[in-house]
């Protein structure tokens, strides 16, 4: 349980950082906003593939999906918690870069507006 939580805490931010770093090196003409947006979408796609794969594995191994228990269902929830935390941060980061490119507003104003929406 805690090991799964730790792996999720490393996997999602690590994949985001790796993608952002790779895009900045591969495409130096792209803005920071472009790199962050693409990296966010790559991480979201990876999470979608993992969720779909675990769902298919659970459905195929259970006789009754409603009442049966599968270890992967419980473990994936613990793996998903860091993704949800990462996703909130990634949404804020994308909003911050988008607004930063449009005009030079203060970070606290951007954060307050992010919480409003």
């Amino acid at each position: 349980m805690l090991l799964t939580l730790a792996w999720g805490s490393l996997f999602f931010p690590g994949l985001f950082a790796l993608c952002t770093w790779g895009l900045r090196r591969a495409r130096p003409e792209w803005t920071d906003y472009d790199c962050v947006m693409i990296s966010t979408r790559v991480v979201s796609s990876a999470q979608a593939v993992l969720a779909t794969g675990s769902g298919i594995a659970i459905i195929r191994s259970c006789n009754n999906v409603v009442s049966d228990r599968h270890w992967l269902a419980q473990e994936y929830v613990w793996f998903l918690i860091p993704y949800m935390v990462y996703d909130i941060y990634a949404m804020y980061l994308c909003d911050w870069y988008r607004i930063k490119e449009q005009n030079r507003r203060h970070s606290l104003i951007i954060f307050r507006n992010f919480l409003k929406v």
Side-chain angles (χ1 to χ4, degrees), residues 46-75:
Q47 192 279 329
V49 168
L50 290 171
T52 302
S54 64
I56 290 171
I58 292 167
I59 288 171
R60 295 195 77 202
S61 66
C62 292
N63 294 328
N64 186 353
V65 179
V66 176
S67 62
D68 287 351
R69 305 279 286 175
H70 193 276
W71 66 270
L72 186 56
Q74 182 176 355
E75 289 298 314

Side-chain angles (χ1 to χ4, degrees), residues 13-24:
L15 182 59
F16 175 78
L18 182 67
C19 288
T20 304
W21 175 80
L23 285 172
R24 285 184 180 150

Side-chain angles (χ1 to χ4, degrees), residues 13-103:
L15 182 59
F16 175 78
L18 182 67
C19 288
T20 304
W21 175 80
L23 285 172
R24 285 184 180 150
R25 289 185 54 88
R27 302 284 185 197
E29 68 276 5
W30 285 6
T31 64
D32 287 339
Y33 174 69
D34 294 333
C35 294
V36 167
M37 284 298 295
I38 298 296
S39 298
T40 302
R41 290 175 182 165
V42 167
V43 174
S44 295
S45 298
Q47 192 279 329
V49 168
L50 290 171
T52 302
S54 64
I56 290 171
I58 292 167
I59 288 171
R60 295 195 77 202
S61 66
C62 292
N63 294 328
N64 186 353
V65 179
V66 176
S67 62
D68 287 351
R69 305 279 286 175
H70 193 276
W71 66 270
L72 186 56
Q74 182 176 355
E75 289 298 314
Y76 195 76
V77 169
W78 286 103
F79 190 70
L80 187 64
I81 290 170
Y83 173 76
M84 293 300 169
V85 173
Y86 152 80
D87 197 42
I88 291 169
Y89 173 72
M91 286 187 295
Y92 169 72
L93 193 62
C94 289
D95 196 42
W96 186 76
Y97 273 115
R98 182 181 56 81
I99 291 173
K100 204 75 158 157
E101 281 189 354
Q102 293 173 356
N103 56 15

